[in-house]
Amino acid sequence: MTARKSGSRLETEIERCRSEGQWDKIPELVRQLSAKLISNDDLGELLLGESKLQQYLKENPIKQDASPRGNRPRLVEVRKHLTAALDRGNLKHDYLQEARLLMAKLCYVEGDYREALSQYGRVTMDELQLVGAPVYRLSMIAEAYATKGLCLEKVPPSSPSLTNKTMDRDQEIITCYEKSGDIALLYLQEVEKALSAGMQNRSPKPGPVAQEQELGYFLETGLQRAHVIHFKNGNLTRGVGRFREILRAVETRTTQNLRMTIARQLAEILLRGMCDQSYWSPLDDPPHHSPLDDPLKNTSHTKDYALSRRPRIYSGENLFCPQENTEEALLLLLISESMANRDAVLSRIPEHNSDRIISLQSASVVYDLLTIALGRRGQYEMLSECLERAMKFAFEEFHLWYQLALSLMAAGKSARAVKVLKECIRLKPDDPTIPLLAVKLCIGTLHWLDEGERFAKMVVEMGEKAAEFRAKGYLALGLVFSLKATDASLRGMQEEYQKKALSAFQRAQSLSPTDHLAAFYLALQLAVSRQIPEALGYVRQALQLQGDDVHSLHLLALLLSAQKHYHDGLNIIEMALSEYPENFALLFTKVKLETLCRGPEDSLLTCKHMLQIWKSCYNLTNPSDSGRGSSLLDRAIADRRQLNAMTLPDFSDPETASGSNSSFSSTETPASLFLISSFYHAPYPPPGPLPHPPLPPHTTKSDSTHKSGSLAFCDHAPDRRRLSTISSVHATSIAASRVEQALSEVASSLQSSAPKQGPLHPWMTLAQIWLHAAEVYVGMGKPAEATACTQEAANLFPTSHHVLFMKGQVAELRGAMEEAKRWYEEALSISPTHVKTMQRLVRTTHTHTHTLSISPTHVKTMQRLVRTAHPHTHTHTHTPHTHTHTHPRAATECFLTALELEASSPVLPFTIIPRML
């Protein structure tokens, strides 16, 4: 009785050691078992053979695609033990099956694949019981299926040992691997369950901690080989389904690395090989006919085997299930990223170097796939946050730094992107593309011209190392100097920068004569410098190199208008609009030219067309509606008449028609008149980039250009936060823009309309359209309609100095000179350098009082701005009132200057064309 109890305890301990892989303890336990129970000699031979085989494989692991090992002394001992156990015939049925499975495994290790298949043929593997089986036996069965699949792959098809008539050879191999993978997952779950139970029941005394279970070659092959064969056979549907089955199984510590690899591979397949039409939910059955699969091969999408016991899977009511392929790929990659960050090897000591490299490579692949997945959705903000978490890997790693810089650029975080690009330049100082990207940001959204000049000179100073990018370096340098010339407040400094810009552009063109941008920007700089004939020659050269470039066509139209060839300029604009029908910059220029060539009626028709384009491009709710019914935008589009045929009641809501002629809207307060939004004329860029507009679903080739060139506000330059085309930057303007930024939130809180949805750019464009229409109505002498259009713009941006300036023009048209003067003064209090407001204020004051009440400082400022920053503005509009009676010689000089500028003035300033790299 005592011997039976002792044998039972020994058998339990042996089973535990076999389950946990503690093979070094088996010989001692077998010795004790043989001493207690003499009848267990055959079992002892089996256990000794198994332990020596597992120890050998642990010390000499099998590598992928390794050649047969042949007989070795230690393997000979294993064969002796297993042969002795099988020959005596005293083993129980279960142990006999185990001995044959071990013998087949030994034959595979020795390279005798046919003998291994013969041994498996003596065991009915499908009848091996999984329910109630010990944990170690689950592992043995899983390894047996994997080994059989390996043998089937290595034995030639013509071998007589392949006599299975129920399924073809490939399907049998796949079934072996899939069964092996399922049973391996079940085995690992049971091991983890046993370890958890043992830790809970363990006494508080300190003892050895159980080591993490290792997969081993055969179990890993069973888990990873099936989907590889599916993909090789062109059955992508089954391969994706196999991935999902493994990922849905309850996770164990042993399979964490495997799950990260599989999740990454599945995400890559979803991103590269599956579209929305071929996607199916992970909880649904795969489609019978899928475009993912090879049409030449007739494959089944469902399993053709069943197991008596399957691994546990995650289930419950609150589980998230993705509904489309990008969503599933993103979920998988975020899980992979979390696991990669958790298991990151950051130590720099030499012993951990190889592990650190593997950890970095694994994380880099995940972040590259995240870039693809999030880039497709335009989620650059989220991508930059993910890459910031990758910075723990990024010490001296250029790729991750560069990815972060690009993501910050796409997310609009330009200032941080420049800082990251500086680190990229340090890591890769000979790459000219990196400083060029920094220049692009500096002269674009940030307007850091000194920094931009430094980056551009880096490229130029590389010399021949920069290769074809050297011309781009000179082009960037010319753009910096051109913008500095625009910003210069002194005439001498402006001319110096203009000469430098022309020299840089000429150098860029000589280095790259086939680059249309070099010829275009050279033409643009000559146009700004009022060298119109030379500019025409270069813009024609740019169009010969790139005939459909929208900015070159726009510049050509402006140059023709500067030579007073308005009809020719209008023809060029209409030709460009046939290629870029949604480019608002071209449409605004068309309004100006149509007013001169065809009259205001056609201009108003173009304004209505712009409203229709805006409505189709931006599916936004107009805040000017305020819930009172259709807004003026909707009514103007729905009305079949042109805008000039609509009367005042058509422009007004029934509730507000009676008060539409009021000088102030019912919602404006005196405080709001002194506030300003950051609308357009903001010479000093406030913090934070302006969001990009949402692209319409029917984007054309014009989308990439009209979104960046559509911010011309009436006849003034656009906001530099979007285009780097502000005419000037002066101390007063900088102060005004800072006031605008500080008070913008207060201004929006005083509006009675609903808050604007989404990015600011679409609302800016809509306000421009209304103000262009108002300007046309002012020219037609229709103050009521002009008031309605101006009010629509005021509802969007009530404190813009452009809106206040237009209100002054409308009041002046009605004969309310005092009111007009008040609006002009309000506009100047917000933007002291707005030249047209100064001009109108001078004219209004002189007409009303026959005196000059504007200060001499404002007069000098106006003259300087007109001559340097606003050369398209005619100086003679204020000269008679300022100097005729007091300084006749100065008045004569102003007249001559005005005539000179008027002879070469386009309908809109040349600087409305963006200067970007």
Side-chain angles (χ1 to χ4, degrees):
M1 188 71 179
T2 304
R4 185 175 299 176
K5 290 184 179 180
S6 177
S8 177
R9 285 196 300 269
L10 284 172
E11 290 175 357
T12 303
E13 183 67 15
I14 289 172
E15 184 177 316
R16 185 185 66 81
C17 291
R18 293 178 76 183
S19 300
E20 296 178 3
Q22 300 182 23
W23 305 110
D24 54 335
K25 296 182 179 180
I26 295 294
E28 177 60 25
L29 292 174
V30 169
R31 188 187 62 80
Q32 296 178 19
L33 182 65
S34 300
K36 298 290 183 181
L37 300 174
I38 302 176
S39 61
N40 283 330
D41 288 344
D42 292 346
L43 178 58
E45 294 289 348
L46 169 64
L47 296 175
L48 288 174
E50 180 186 24
S51 64
K52 290 182 179 181
L53 178 60
Q54 297 292 358
Q55 285 278 53
Y56 174 83
L57 291 176
K58 186 175 182 180
E59 297 171 5
N60 304 277
I62 301 176
K63 297 181 180 179
Q64 194 70 26
D65 300 326
S67 59
R69 298 174 179 274
N71 291 328
R72 299 195 179 183
R74 295 178 62 182
L75 295 179
V76 172
E77 294 181 12
V78 174
R79 180 172 289 276
K80 288 180 180 180
H81 289 299
L82 295 178
T83 302
L86 289 170
D87 290 346
R88 293 174 187 170
N90 296 326
L91 289 173
K92 296 180 181 178
H93 178 68
D94 291 343
Y95 291 136
L96 181 62
Q97 290 179 327
E98 292 179 10
R100 295 197 181 281
L101 295 180
L102 288 171
M103 181 62 79
K105 183 177 180 181
L106 174 64
C107 292
Y108 175 83
V109 174
E110 293 177 340
D112 192 352
Y113 306 124
R114 289 187 177 88
E115 178 61 25
L117 289 174
S118 176
Q119 291 290 338
Y120 285 127
R122 299 174 188 176
V123 180
T124 309
M125 297 182 62
D126 292 339
E127 296 180 0
L128 295 175
Q129 290 296 319
L130 302 179
V131 180
V135 176
Y136 75 87
R137 190 170 297 165
L138 295 176
S139 172
M140 188 177 293
I141 297 173
E143 288 184 348
Y145 275 114
T147 308
K148 183 179 179 181
L150 289 169
C151 292
L152 289 171
E153 284 194 271
K154 292 182 181 294
V155 173
S158 58
S159 174
S161 57
L162 294 179
T163 58
N164 195 322
K165 299 180 181 180
T166 59
M167 62 179 68
D168 60 13
R169 179 172 178 273
D170 288 341
Q171 187 58 44
E172 184 179 3
I173 293 172
I174 292 173
T175 302
C176 286
Y177 287 135
E178 289 186 344
K179 286 183 177 180
S180 173
D182 290 344
I183 299 172
L185 291 173
L186 176 62
Y187 158 69
L188 294 172
Q189 291 174 355
E190 292 298 317
V191 169
E192 183 124 331
K193 181 180 177 181
L195 291 176
S196 300
M199 292 179 64
Q200 292 176 359
N201 299 329
R202 184 178 298 167
S203 63
K205 296 181 180 180
V209 179
Q211 297 181 353
E212 184 176 321
Q213 192 72 19
E214 294 182 1
L215 273 177
Y217 172 75
F218 296 101
L219 293 183
E220 190 170 349
T221 300
L223 286 167
Q224 295 189 339
R225 187 65 183 160
H227 54 261
V228 173
I229 299 178
H230 284 312
F231 296 142
K232 187 183 295 184
N233 294 340
N235 194 345
L236 200 62
T237 303
R238 282 288 299 274
V240 170
R242 185 61 189 167
F243 272 145
R244 287 172 168 175
E245 289 173 2
I246 296 175
L247 292 173
R248 288 188 64 192
V250 176
E251 182 181 4
T252 63
R253 286 176 293 179
T254 307
T255 58
Q256 285 179 352
N257 292 334
L258 175 66
R259 288 171 67 88
M260 185 176 70
T261 303
I262 290 179
R264 186 177 68 239
Q265 291 173 346
L266 177 56
E268 188 171 358
I269 291 171
L270 292 171
L271 292 174
R272 296 178 58 185
M274 185 179 291
C275 61
D276 292 336
Q277 289 73 24
S278 58
Y279 180 82
W280 75 97
S281 173
L283 300 181
D284 297 338
D285 294 330
H288 294 289
H289 301 285
S290 174
L292 299 175
D293 301 330
D294 188 348
L296 301 179
K297 295 185 179 181
N298 186 15
T299 56
S300 173
H301 294 165
T302 58
K303 286 186 176 183
D304 51 5
Y305 69 90
L307 294 176
S308 59
R309 189 179 176 192
R310 304 190 62 83
R312 298 188 303 276
I313 62 173
Y314 290 107
S315 60
E317 297 180 355
N318 298 324
L319 295 181
F320 172 77
C321 181
Q323 299 301 317
E324 53 98 18
N325 61 335
T326 307
E327 192 175 75
E328 182 176 354
L330 184 57
L331 176 64
L332 292 168
L333 291 173
L334 290 175
I335 293 173
S336 300
E337 184 217 4
S338 175
M339 298 175 70
N341 282 323
R342 181 192 61 194
D343 301 331
V345 179
L346 306 179
S347 175
R348 309 292 298 186
I349 61 177
E351 291 81 0
H352 295 162
N353 189 47
S354 60
D355 293 337
R356 182 179 57 81
I357 292 174
I358 294 173
S359 177
L360 171 64
Q361 291 174 344
S362 178
S364 296
V365 172
V366 172
Y367 286 113
D368 288 345
L369 293 173
L370 271 172
T371 302
I372 296 173
L374 292 172
R376 287 183 179 180
R377 292 292 191 91
Q379 297 293 330
Y380 301 112
E381 180 83 19
M382 184 177 181
L383 176 60
S384 63
E385 294 174 358
C386 291
L387 288 169
E388 283 177 1
R389 294 194 292 268
M391 286 298 99
K392 64 166 65 176
F393 301 94
F395 179 72
E396 299 295 324
E397 294 295 336
F398 170 79
H399 179 68
L400 289 177
W401 281 102
Y402 196 51
Q403 290 285 77
L404 176 61
L406 295 177
S407 67
L408 290 171
M409 288 178 62
K413 302 176 182 179
S414 302
R416 295 190 61 198
V418 170
K419 294 180 180 180
V420 176
L421 286 172
K422 288 180 180 178
E423 177 66 16
C424 295
I425 293 173
R426 186 188 69 81
L427 294 172
K428 217 170 184 180
D430 295 331
D431 189 345
T433 61
I434 306 172
L436 284 175
L437 284 175
V439 176
K440 180 181 178 69
L441 295 175
C442 290
I443 67 177
T445 57
L446 296 175
H447 202 67
W448 294 351
L449 298 185
D450 292 335
E451 282 284 300
E453 181 180 353
R454 187 171 67 85
F455 287 122
K457 287 181 177 178
M458 285 183 186
V459 182
V460 171
E461 291 169 358
M462 288 182 187
E464 298 299 330
K465 292 182 180 180
E468 69 272 14
F469 294 104
R470 190 181 179 193
K472 292 292 185 182
Y474 279 105
L475 188 65
L477 194 60
L479 288 171
V480 171
F481 289 141
S482 178
L483 292 170
K484 283 191 172 184
T486 302
D487 295 347
S489 57
L490 299 178
R491 177 76 179 277
M493 188 177 297
Q494 182 192 37
E495 292 178 351
E496 179 184 354
Y497 282 129
Q498 285 180 346
K499 291 178 181 178
K500 289 183 177 180
L502 287 172
S503 176
F505 288 139
Q506 289 169 351
R507 181 63 171 152
Q509 192 193 27
S510 65
L511 290 173
S512 182
T514 59
D515 184 7
H516 75 283
L517 288 177
F520 163 71
Y521 281 120
L522 182 55
L524 179 58
Q525 188 59 38
L526 289 169
V528 173
S529 303
R530 293 310 176 93
Q531 302 178 44
I532 304 300
E534 294 85 351
L536 276 170
Y538 281 108
V539 77
R540 289 192 176 103
Q541 182 178 343
L543 286 170
Q544 287 176 355
L545 296 171
Q546 187 75 24
D548 60 348
D549 180 54
V550 63
H551 299 311
S552 298
L553 292 170
H554 197 181
L555 177 58
L556 177 59
L558 292 177
L559 289 170
L560 291 173
S561 72
Q563 292 184 330
K564 312 311 174 192
H565 302 318
Y566 298 123
H567 287 86
D568 294 337
L570 182 57
N571 291 335
I572 295 294
I573 289 294
E574 290 177 340
M575 180 180 68
L577 284 171
S578 65
E579 190 75 15
Y580 304 94
E582 297 175 354
N583 189 302
F584 285 103
L586 295 176
L587 289 168
F588 291 140
T589 306
K590 183 183 179 183
V591 170
K592 289 286 186 179
L593 291 172
E594 281 181 332
T595 303
L596 296 172
C597 297
R598 301 172 183 172
E601 290 79 8
D602 286 356
S603 300
L604 290 174
L605 184 61
T606 301
C607 289
K608 181 174 181 179
H609 178 58
M610 282 194 287
L611 292 175
Q612 292 171 334
I613 293 176
W614 188 94
K615 188 74 172 178
S616 63
C617 287
Y618 309 114
N619 187 19
L620 301 171
T621 303
N622 190 357
S624 64
D625 186 10
S626 302
R628 297 173 297 184
S630 297
S631 64
L632 178 54
L633 169 63
D634 299 320
R635 293 197 303 279
I637 293 176
D639 200 303
R640 294 183 178 274
R641 294 170 292 170
Q642 298 184 15
L643 289 179
N644 64 317
M646 297 176 69
T647 59
L648 179 60
D650 298 315
F651 277 97
S652 305
D653 288 324
E655 300 176 6
T656 59
S658 60
S660 61
N661 290 327
S662 173
S663 301
F664 294 85
S665 68
S666 60
T667 60
E668 285 181 325
T669 63
S672 68
L673 300 177
F674 295 92
L675 303 177
I676 183 65
S677 67
S678 56
F679 184 39
Y680 289 98
H681 195 64
Y684 187 84
L690 187 64
H692 294 275
L695 289 176
H698 51 281
T699 52
T700 64
K701 67 180 290 185
S702 64
D703 294 339
S704 61
T705 54
H706 90 268
K707 295 295 188 291
S708 63
S710 62
L711 291 182
F713 185 77
C714 293
D715 56 353
H716 304 289
D719 187 354
R720 177 169 288 133
R721 290 176 300 167
R722 289 286 299 155
L723 299 176
S724 307
T725 58
I726 281 296
S727 299
S728 63
V729 175
H730 305 285
T732 53
S733 297
I734 292 174
S737 66
R738 288 173 177 170
V739 172
E740 293 176 5
Q741 181 65 22
L743 299 178
S744 59
E745 293 184 3
V746 183
S748 62
S749 67
L750 293 175
Q751 298 181 48
S752 62
S753 60
K756 292 178 283 295
Q757 301 176 356
L760 197 60
H761 168 71
W763 303 113
M764 289 180 171
T765 304
L766 181 60
Q768 293 177 68
I769 298 172
W770 286 122
L771 288 179
H772 273 78
E775 187 176 7
V776 175
Y777 277 124
V778 168
M780 296 174 66
K782 293 187 175 183
E785 289 77 4
T787 300
C789 293
T790 305
Q791 186 57 43
E792 285 292 320
N795 288 337
L796 295 169
F797 298 95
T799 54
S800 168
H801 64 279
H802 295 288
V803 174
L804 299 177
F805 170 71
M806 187 57 65
K807 286 184 177 181
Q809 284 190 290
V810 174
E812 189 177 348
L813 180 63
R814 295 201 311 267
M817 296 302 176
E818 281 294 335
E819 180 186 342
K821 179 182 176 183
R822 186 167 63 252
W823 287 121
Y824 293 144
E825 288 175 348
E826 295 294 345
L828 279 179
S829 68
I830 293 167
S831 181
T833 59
H834 193 218
V835 175
K836 294 185 75 69
T837 303
M838 297 182 192
Q839 293 174 342
R840 303 300 300 186
L841 181 59
V842 170
R843 172 176 292 183
T844 303
T845 303
H846 183 79
T847 303
H848 185 57
T849 63
H850 301 285
T851 60
L852 183 64
S853 62
I854 190 170
S855 67
T857 302
H858 278 164
V859 174
K860 292 180 180 179
T861 301
M862 181 165 42
Q863 290 175 341
R864 174 172 53 79
L865 291 172
V866 167
R867 186 59 179 162
T868 58
H870 301 266
H872 63 281
T873 308
H874 300 166
T875 315
H876 73 272
T877 57
H878 67 273
T879 302
H881 310 302
T882 55
H883 291 300
T884 302
H885 303 294
T886 56
H887 301 285
R889 182 175 297 178
T892 302
E893 182 182 351
C894 287
F895 269 122
L896 294 175
T897 302
L899 291 173
E900 177 189 352
L901 293 174
E902 185 178 8
S904 59
S905 293
V907 293
L908 287 173
F910 294 114
T911 50
I912 68 169
I913 298 176
R915 285 170 282 183
M916 301 181 300
L917 189 60

